[in-house]
Amino acid sequence: MLNSTMAPVDDVVAWGESLDQLLECKTGQLVFEDFLRTEYSEENLLFWLACEDYRKTTSQTEITTAAKRIYTEFVQVDAPRQINIDCVIRESIRENLSQPWPNCFDRAQRLIYGLMENDCYPRFLKSEMYQALLEQAEQQ
């Protein structure tokens, strides 16, 4: 578990305000990933982060390479870190791999964000991991 000395008190408290606040902080991402790993669902965060990086890519060659990597790692059936999306979205992404565009993962990313926001994030806030960090932060 990460030590609260790695995150300012304000950051730890802010993580409890919204998933966006948590994801905007690099330490928050790491703590959330640690928590998701305990639930065997870190692929959701890793996919979301990969999509964020993908959207910032400007070179068409890099876009194509990154799209194929994301598809292979997270989207295709039996991918090593397969995310839970419906077959319509999965097929739409597959069809667009030959000529990917910067927002071709947006629907899947929004779906995964919703899963994290409504499912994983509330459990994270109740987790011993977050409560311990919050307690340490409040004692500083």
Side-chain angles (χ1 to χ4, degrees):
M1 185 168 104
L2 292 171
N3 187 319
S4 67
T5 58
M6 296 176 66
V9 175
D10 292 347
D11 286 354
V12 175
V13 172
W15 300 345
E17 293 172 10
S18 72
L19 180 58
D20 285 336
Q21 291 278 350
L22 177 65
L23 296 178
E24 285 174 11
C25 175
K26 189 66 178 167
T27 304
Q29 290 174 12
L30 294 170
V31 172
F32 192 47
E33 183 180 346
D34 280 352
F35 169 74
L36 292 174
R37 195 171 291 114
T38 68
E39 295 202 329
Y40 304 100
S41 62
E42 72 270 16
E43 71 279 355
N44 292 328
L45 176 62
L46 297 175
F47 170 75
W48 187 87
L49 292 170
C51 290
E52 288 295 290
D53 287 342
Y54 174 79
R55 255 212 238 76
K56 297 171 191 164
T57 306
T58 54
S59 152
Q60 189 57 47
T61 305
E62 290 176 19
I63 286 173
T64 302
T65 302
K68 288 178 179 167
R69 182 188 60 75
I70 291 170
Y71 179 80
T72 303
E73 187 173 350
F74 300 103
V75 178
Q76 75 182 10
V77 175
D78 295 329
R81 294 178 168 160
Q82 184 178 336
I83 54 170
N84 186 10
I85 57 174
D86 63 59
C87 60
V88 174
I89 295 175
R90 192 178 315 279
E91 183 58 22
S92 170
I93 293 169
R94 191 191 65 73
E95 289 172 358
N96 290 310
L97 275 183
S98 59
Q99 292 187 319
W101 68 93
N103 59 351
C104 71
F105 294 102
D106 283 5
R107 282 176 61 201
Q109 187 184 20
R110 277 194 305 274
L111 183 69
I112 294 303
Y113 183 91
L115 287 173
M116 290 192 301
E117 185 175 44
N118 297 315
D119 188 37
C120 306
Y121 177 67
R123 283 199 309 275
F124 169 73
L125 295 179
K126 295 175 186 167
S127 72
E128 288 181 19
M129 181 183 291
Y130 178 67
Q131 291 300 317
L133 285 172
L134 197 56
E135 194 174 300
Q136 286 177 6
E138 289 170 349
Q139 291 174 356
Q140 289 182 351

